[in-house]
Amino acid sequence: MAWEAYKQGTIPIGAAILNTDDEIVSAERNQQYNEGDGIIKLHQIAHAEINAILNLSEVTDESVRKNIRTYTLYTTMEPCPLCFGAIVMGSIRNVKYAARDSYAGASALNNSIPYIKNKGIKVYGPYAELEFIQIAMQSCYELQRGSYADALLPSWKKIGDKGVLTGEDLFKNHILQDMAGNEFSEVYDFILKYIGGVKQWK
C-alpha cells in the first residue's frame, strides 16, 4: 500500500488491519495528494490509518463490534497524533509499525495520558529491516516533493541515517521514479541490496 501511494504521487505510507486469523479486514494508503478510493481523499487528514479504520464500522457491522479490540493495525510508519487518536477512538487495541517517526510519531501518547493508558493498547515496533526500507522510500519521496524535506530528513537521520542516506541516493539517481512499474517485492529487494544503501553504510 505504501508503494502504491508512492506511485500515485502521495506520501508512501500504507496501513492494514488484520483479524486474529491474520486475514486483512481493511487496507488503505495515504491519499493526501491523490484521489484514491478511501473515504477521505485530497485532504490533510487522508492518512492511511484513518482510512483503514474508517472502512470498519462498529455501528453497522456486528462482527466488527464484537471483534475489533482483537484486531491489529499494521502501518509502515509510526502513527502521528491524528492517527494515534483515531486508533484510540476507533477501538483498535493492537498496533504494529515498521518505522519510527522521530518528527511526528506519537506512540509515546500511549503511556502519557491516563485516558489512553487505560485503554491497554499494545504497541510494537520498529522492525529494523522494514524501518530501513520505509525511511529510504519516504526520504526519496520527500526530496521529490520538496516541501518538508528540510525538516523531516534531519530528524529521521537521528534514528535511521542509513535509510535517509539511501533515500537521498535513490532520489539523486531517479531510481524509485524509474521503478514505478515494478512490483514492491522487487523494489524491496533492490533497496536492501542497493550499493548506496546497506552495503555502503554497514
Side-chain angles (χ1 to χ4, degrees):
M1 297 303 289
W3 178 236
E4 185 61 30
Y6 174 87
K7 293 193 296 182
Q8 296 298 325
T10 191
I11 300 170
I13 296 177
I17 300 172
L18 278 66
N19 64 22
T20 53
D21 294 323
D22 288 332
E23 299 167 329
I24 296 173
V25 294
S26 178
E28 282 292 350
R29 60 176 176 80
N30 182 283
Q31 294 172 43
Q32 288 176 248
Y33 305 107
N34 169 260
E35 187 167 352
D37 57 3
I39 293 173
I40 303 175
K41 50 199 144 200
L42 296 174
H43 194 284
Q44 290 301 313
I45 67 169
H47 292 200
E49 299 92 331
I50 297 290
N51 272 314
I53 292 167
L54 286 173
N55 280 344
L56 307 175
S57 176
E58 290 183 87
V59 176
T60 59
D61 190 322
E62 184 180 353
S63 176
V64 171
R65 183 167 56 253
K66 287 170 57 177
N67 299 301
I68 194 166
R69 285 168 180 78
T70 68
Y71 293 171
T72 301
L73 183 143
Y74 291 80
T75 179
T76 57
M77 199 74 166
E78 180 182 358
C80 70
L82 169 72
C83 294
F84 203 86
I87 288 164
V88 173
M89 303 311 292
S91 301
I92 302 293
R93 296 296 177 257
N94 303 284
V95 178
K96 294 187 177 183
Y97 64 86
R100 290 167 289 177
D101 185 350
S102 51
Y103 186 77
S107 61
L109 292 173
N110 198 37
N111 294 311
S112 61
I113 298 173
Y115 175 78
I116 297 176
K117 195 171 184 178
N118 289 336
K119 300 292 183 184
I121 300 169
K122 296 174 183 171
V123 179
Y124 306 92
Y127 298 88
E129 188 173 288
L130 298 174
E131 182 172 73
F132 171 75
I133 297 290
Q134 177 64 28
I135 290 179
M137 186 166 60
Q138 199 160 344
S139 294
C140 179
Y141 169 80
E142 293 297 343
L143 286 164
Q144 285 175 229
R145 191 166 67 126
S147 302
Y148 297 104
D150 289 345
L152 295 172
L153 270 59
S155 179
W156 292 342
K157 276 186 179 179
K158 296 173 187 173
I159 52 141
D161 62 325
K162 295 175 185 178
V164 173
L165 292 167
T166 299
E168 290 172 340
D169 280 355
L170 294 171
F171 167 72
K172 182 174 66 176
N173 295 302
H174 303 279
I175 291 171
L176 287 192
Q177 300 95 308
D178 294 342
M179 293 186 79
N182 293 58
E183 294 295 321
F184 181 65
S185 59
E186 298 171 305
V187 175
Y188 187 97
D189 290 341
F190 179 85
I191 294 175
L192 281 182
K193 297 172 186 172
Y194 183 55
I195 193 64
V198 174
K199 292 180 181 177
Q200 181 175 337
W201 310 121
K202 274 187 179 175

